[in-house]
Amino acid sequence: MWKWSNAAVPARPTRHRHRRRRSRGQALVEFALMLPVFLLILSGILDFGFMLNARMTVISAAREGARAALNVQAETLAEFATIPAVAAARITTVIAGTGLTAGDLATTTTCVKTSGACTFATVVAGDSVAVTLTYTYRSFFPLLFGNTITMTSKVQMVLY
């Protein structure tokens, strides 16, 4: 019967060990080169996601402000003058729970008439309320998108 002894098995050449060590070093160098690129792409995705969330919140807040302006039940024309304050209060309420800073938000509520000048003191059924919301988004990573991005949403609804 034939038996293998340890002496019969040839020893591996030492060059394979060196090659394995070199490939470990090569992987480390490749990782070090690709890590900044990966982090840049990841930070861009995150910043874009936050920016998209802010944009959708601005659109939603403008709609809510316009709806609040429509729901003003006024008995006299002087009560219609409170429409801009009602819209601004509703917008502030919507923005409060989202993480957006109220200091970067500008709200404009105007009366739109089909012909002639319109003020909230002389509003009649058929006139429109236009709510314009402007928000300045501050980027987390200014290298990707710039320091600030201005987002504007305008919603116009007809008073009935």
Side-chain angles (χ1 to χ4, degrees):
M1 186 151 213
W2 188 331
K3 286 188 161 184
W4 287 91
S5 67
N6 287 341
V9 176
R12 291 186 178 168
T14 57
R15 60 185 161 156
H16 291 291
R17 287 186 214 153
H18 291 296
R19 184 176 296 160
R20 200 175 293 148
R21 284 184 193 155
R22 279 191 227 136
S23 67
R24 285 185 198 158
Q26 177 186 359
L28 184 63
V29 169
E30 289 174 358
F31 178 74
L33 289 174
M34 292 308 295
L35 183 65
V37 174
F38 174 72
L39 291 177
L40 185 66
I41 291 170
L42 181 66
S43 62
I45 291 170
L46 287 174
D47 203 11
F48 182 76
F50 285 126
M51 182 177 55
L52 186 62
N53 181 34
R55 174 74 179 142
M56 300 312 275
T57 303
V58 166
I59 292 170
S60 176
R63 286 184 187 149
E64 287 292 321
R67 279 191 202 110
L70 289 180
N71 290 332
V72 172
Q73 300 296 324
E75 299 296 325
T76 64
L77 291 177
E79 291 175 343
F80 277 114
T82 63
I83 288 176
V86 169
R90 181 64 185 147
I91 288 169
T92 303
T93 304
V94 170
I95 294 291
T98 62
L100 300 182
T101 55
D104 293 334
L105 189 69
T107 306
T108 306
T109 305
T110 57
C111 179
V112 179
K113 196 176 207 82
T114 54
S115 63
C118 182
T119 63
F120 286 111
T122 62
V123 72
V124 294
D127 292 343
S128 298
V129 173
V131 176
T132 305
L133 205 63
T134 304
Y135 180 72
T136 304
Y137 175 76
R138 300 193 187 285
S139 178
F140 293 118
F141 308 103
L143 293 175
L144 298 174
F145 299 115
N147 289 335
T148 60
I149 297 170
T150 303
M151 301 176 187
T152 303
S153 178
K154 182 177 182 178
V155 177
Q156 184 172 337
M157 293 188 181
V158 178
L159 291 168
Y160 49 90

